[in-house]
């Protein structure tokens, strides 16, 4: 692939070239599977496994690559009737920190993303939602994980009477913020940002701005 | 930690409670290490390793958790003198797709984030940048990776005369977009979103809006 040639075309763009490029470059069906030549090693963890395989990439290059095989997850951006945002302050052992994160959870076997997040939002925030909109899909770490996270906007919230009941190893507090407070926290420099949360917030703002 | 009690406080906020909560909840130094009780297994990949350990969380709960130990990475949002955005269309075997991603790379041993990204932007885009601003740090997958990605805004770009020289296994094309085109691609629903890229773009827009 001649990257330099492409760059020259784009620096001197003609409409034809650009439309053509957009058609082929921005298609989510532009999928190319790599070929697993050999499974070299594997470790199973609770909700996912880690594999090292000998892989042939679509460009012909072959190498050994390790990655996490993950069942996928679903996430909600919950907006209250007063236009406030519900977000969690949650402990993550891998980064030894309490992060700001939207409610999310790993898909269970046979569970659809929307059913998964309808369960998770109740368990993690103590609210249920009646109005759901799709905000697309993200990949958090495409260099070493196949996880896809399905994003949803959750509105028309109702507070449940029951206690919030998370997993034993979840260390979570529920915050209710004005949208500008969340923007300020993201820009403050005081937060290590959770990428799925900021991406979902970006999408939610795009969606809500168009209403 | 009484989650329900906190929720009640926030639903009936007083300034005192909220300022207090913000002070303790939004501090990036609010770090609590977990205790590794026992290393159970480990696999080494090219640029990172995967470990399963028996870990005691700060709330006392003990369990076996697997995660990727990663040296960290750096990412640039490159803005040309004509206020266009440089972005890559890049193949990722783990998700079998070509994603839109900002130039980024894993830190080499002893390399600072800024030095790393100054090298990567040249290798991946064929541009160098003279003006650099910090946009903070993100974590892409805090549920199963300790990776932190340092975000930078790269301006005052100059096209290099040399060919773009990536790694053998990199399958990359360089795109130059108007900011509104990138916004439209993110909102189109046609893209599986790369979370680090959308998060960095959110931060870049916040930064540029304040100029």
């Amino acid at each position: 692939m001649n990257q330099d040639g492409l760059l020259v075309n784009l620096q001197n763009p003609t409409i034809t070239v650009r439309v053509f490029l957009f058609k082929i470059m921005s298609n989510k069906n532009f999928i190319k599977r790599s070929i697993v030549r050999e499974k070299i090693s594997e470790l199973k963890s609770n909700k996912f496994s880690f594999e090292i395989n000998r892989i042939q990439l679509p460009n012909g290059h072959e190498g050994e690559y390790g990655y996490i095989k993950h069942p996928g997850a679903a996430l909600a951006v919950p907006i209250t009737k007063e236009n406030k945002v519900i977000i969690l302050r949650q402990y993550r052992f891998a980064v030894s920190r309490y992060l700001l994160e939207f409610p999310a959870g790993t898909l269970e076997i046979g569970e659809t993303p929307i059913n998964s997040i309808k369960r998770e939002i109740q368990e993690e925030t103590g609210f249920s939602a009646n109005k759901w909109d799709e905000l697309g899909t993200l990949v958090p770490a495409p260099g070493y994980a196949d996880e896809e996270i399905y994003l949803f906007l959750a509105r028309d919230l109702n507070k449940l009477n029951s206690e919030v009941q998370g997993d034993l190893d979840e260390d979570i507090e529920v915050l209710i913020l004005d949208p500008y407070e969340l923007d300020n926290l993201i820009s403050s420099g005081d937060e290590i940002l959770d990428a799925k949360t900021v991406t979902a917030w970006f999408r939610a703002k795009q969606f809500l701005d168009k209403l």
Side-chain angles (χ1 to χ4, degrees), chain A residues 33 41 43 74 84 99 105 107 136 154 169 172 191:
Chain A
R33 301 240 167 255
S41 43
L43 283 177
K84 289 178 188 286
L99 299 175
L107 304 186
D169 56 358
I172 299 180
E191 291 287 331

Side-chain angles (χ1 to χ4, degrees), chain A residues 62-114:
Chain A
E62 233 180 90
E64 286 182 16
Y65 300 102
Y67 76 112
I68 281 176
K69 285 183 77 167
H70 192 284
L75 174 151
V77 180
I79 308 284
T80 70
K81 287 162 188 161
E82 297 77 28
N83 288 318
K84 289 178 188 286
V85 186
I86 300 183
I87 198 161
L88 310 171
R89 177 65 75 182
Q90 182 166 2
Y91 183 72
R92 293 297 193 167
F93 82 92
V95 295
S96 305
R97 276 196 180 78
Y98 288 82
L99 299 175
L100 276 182
E101 296 185 48
F102 284 125
T106 303
L107 304 186
E108 315 236 327
I109 293 166
E111 197 179 38
T112 61
I114 185 67

Side-chain angles (χ1 to χ4, degrees), chain A residues 1 13 28 46 50 64 66 74 104 109 176 194-195 203:
Chain A
M1 222 170 283
K28 76 174 164 187
N46 283 339
F50 180 79
E64 286 182 16
I109 293 166
I176 303 182
D194 175 51
R203 288 289 301 118

Side-chain angles (χ1 to χ4, degrees), chain A residues 13-175:
Chain A
T14 67
I15 286 172
T16 320
V17 166
R18 301 207 74 166
V19 168
F20 171 71
L21 282 171
F22 263 84
K23 273 225 178 300
I24 62 160
M25 302 307 277
S26 67
N27 191 334
K28 76 174 164 187
N29 297 317
F30 200 47
I31 293 173
K32 269 197 197 167
R33 301 240 167 255
S34 299
I35 301 160
V36 177
R37 291 293 185 197
E38 184 189 357
K39 183 182 280 192
I40 289 165
S41 43
E42 181 176 12
L43 283 177
K44 287 192 191 299
S45 190
N46 283 339
K47 295 181 171 177
F48 55 81
S49 63
F50 180 79
E51 284 185 9
I52 299 181
N53 297 319
R54 182 152 195 89
I55 286 174
Q56 185 186 326
L57 302 177
N59 70 358
H61 181 78
E62 233 180 90
E64 286 182 16
Y65 300 102
Y67 76 112
I68 281 176
K69 285 183 77 167
H70 192 284
L75 174 151
V77 180
I79 308 284
T80 70
K81 287 162 188 161
E82 297 77 28
N83 288 318
K84 289 178 188 286
V85 186
I86 300 183
I87 198 161
L88 310 171
R89 177 65 75 182
Q90 182 166 2
Y91 183 72
R92 293 297 193 167
F93 82 92
V95 295
S96 305
R97 276 196 180 78
Y98 288 82
L99 299 175
L100 276 182
E101 296 185 48
F102 284 125
T106 303
L107 304 186
E108 315 236 327
I109 293 166
E111 197 179 38
T112 61
I114 185 67
N115 285 340
S116 170
I117 194 60
K118 281 182 176 174
R119 179 176 50 75
E120 288 283 352
I121 197 175
Q122 296 188 24
E123 290 175 5
E124 293 192 333
T125 71
F127 284 85
S128 66
N130 290 316
K131 192 168 163 52
W132 291 88
D133 293 283
E134 295 183 5
L135 296 176
T137 308
L138 67 77
V139 286
Y144 53 74
D146 70 351
E147 182 184 14
E148 295 187 14
I149 303 180
Y150 298 84
L151 310 178
F152 297 92
L153 187 65
R155 290 181 292 173
D156 195 0
L157 305 185
N158 287 300
K159 178 93 180 76
L160 301 170
N161 289 320
S162 56
E163 283 274 324
V164 176
Q165 279 288 9
D167 295 337
L168 264 179
D169 56 358
E170 285 182 334
D171 184 354
I172 299 180
E173 290 183 290
V174 180
L175 302 178

